[in-house]
Each structure stands twice: as C-alpha cells, then as structure tokens.
Amino acid sequence: MKKIKLFLVDDHKMIREGLKSFLAELEDFEIVAEAENGIDCLNQLETVKPDVVLTDLNMPEMDGLELTKNIKEKYPDIKVIALTMLGESQHIKQMLSDGAMGYLLKDCSEEELIKAIKNVYNDGTYYSPEVTNIILNNIRKIKPVTSKVVTEMPLTDREKEVLYLILKEKSNKEIAEDLFVSVRTVDAHKRNLLDKTGSKNVAGLVLYAIDRKLFDDI
C-alpha cells in the first residue's frame, strides 16, 4: 500500500517532534520533510514532493496563509491542511480561500488528525467540528447584500447529489461508487459545480451550500 507522504511545517520544534513521533509509527504515513516557516518549506518543495502539507498559520518569515497561497499556485497537486491554534473566522475563511482542504485545531485528537489527512489525500475535505461551528456562526451574522444582483445558474439534481457527498467529506472515488458513475464523471460534475457557484475550490462549495441552506442535515 502506498504511504501518504507528509511535510510538517511549524515554527515550534516540539510540535514537529510530537507529530513525527506519532505519525511515524503508523504504516499509512511517511514524513518526508519538515520546516520551521513558509520560506523554508517552499525552498524544500523544489526537491521534495509530499502528498500533504500540514502547516501552522502563525510563523515567522512566511506564515501559513502565504505559504498555502504559494503552494496552490506552484504545486496545485499538493494538498494543504491547517493545523493551528488560531480559530478565528477570518483566519479560517482566508485559509480555505487560499486553497487549504482541511482545517484542524491543535487540540484535536490523534484519530481526528488521521481522518483529516486521509480524507484530504483522497480529494476530500476535513474541518474539525469547532471550525465548522465557527464558519456557521459567522455566516449567520452576515446580512445578505441586496445592492448586488447576481444571476445564479441552478444546480441539477445530480450536481446536488455530488455536492451533498462532497460535504459529507467523500473522496471522488467514493462518490463515484455511491452514484454508480465513473471518477471522470464525478470530476466533470465537480468542475460544473465550481463554475456555477463561482467557487475557487471545494472549500468554496462547502461555504456555498451552508450559506444557501441547501441540505437540512449539513
């Protein structure tokens, strides 16, 4: 079985050592690199090719927000997960907007961290329950802007099915199996969803669905 290659980015050595000692014991993962800030990480990415980058937000030289933006521009295939103490809505929204596929607080359980890494690696998303609540509470406080007229293209029933499964943190392969279609078809639906909703990434789709209350159980 192919191991998931991880790159750990945190300016606190004790945090990196703790993550390494835990993750290195699991057969599903391989720690391929570590860095203490965004610049250090980007320099190493010229030669190291991880599957997933786990990054803190608050770091010297270059923070996690700027790092994520750079990774998505230069290495779009690399997935990024925020692992941080920062739980403010503006940090979460900015990180997801910049392309992070997961957002965890550092007090998460080991089981939750494993689930997040595997979900994101398999083209899914993962947000800790605390992060989801922060996003929901922030959206409830936002009053709709009436001065801007936006013509939205309606989603088809199948697109809504795909979107629902995306929100359930299913990978493309799992969505394909659930709907009895090919992974290529799922990719096409996902592209259509991004176009119709004006979202830049899957995180945007999540916010879109929550904002419009498309599903009762989300």
Side-chain angles (χ1 to χ4, degrees), residues 71-191:
I71 289 176
K72 300 318 292 181
E73 288 175 358
K74 298 176 182 177
Y75 310 100
D77 292 335
I78 296 178
K79 313 293 197 318
V80 178
I81 297 175
L83 182 61
T84 180
M85 292 299 295
L86 299 177
E88 288 81 8
S89 61
Q90 69 267 26
H91 293 123
I92 297 170
K93 287 167 63 179
Q94 187 62 53
M95 197 67 173
L96 301 188
S97 176
D98 287 341
M101 303 299 288
Y103 200 110
L104 292 168
L105 301 182
K106 282 184 176 176
D107 60 356
C108 70
S109 67
E110 294 176 343
E111 292 76 15
E112 188 177 12
L113 178 58
I114 293 171
K115 181 179 180 181
I117 294 171
K118 290 185 176 180
N119 276 21
V120 168
Y121 172 74
N122 288 308
D123 297 320
T125 56
Y126 189 89
Y127 315 111
S128 64
E130 298 92 341
V131 169
T132 302
N133 285 335
I134 291 168
I135 294 172
L136 284 169
N137 289 334
N138 183 257
I139 287 173
R140 292 188 187 106
K141 294 175 185 175
I142 299 174
K143 294 181 179 179
V145 179
T146 56
S147 60
K148 184 178 178 182
V149 178
V150 179
T151 303
E152 292 187 3
M153 297 178 67
L155 303 182
T156 66
D157 290 340
R158 178 45 61 95
E159 285 167 351
K160 287 180 181 177
E161 287 179 320
V162 172
L163 180 56
Y164 179 78
L165 293 174
I166 289 173
L167 267 64
K168 287 295 185 179
E169 297 169 354
K170 299 259 188 176
S171 68
N172 285 7
K173 184 173 181 294
E174 290 171 329
I175 295 174
E177 291 172 352
D178 286 355
L179 299 181
F180 302 102
V181 297
S182 69
V183 173
R184 183 176 294 181
T185 299
V186 174
D187 284 331
H189 285 310
K190 192 175 284 188
R191 285 195 300 273

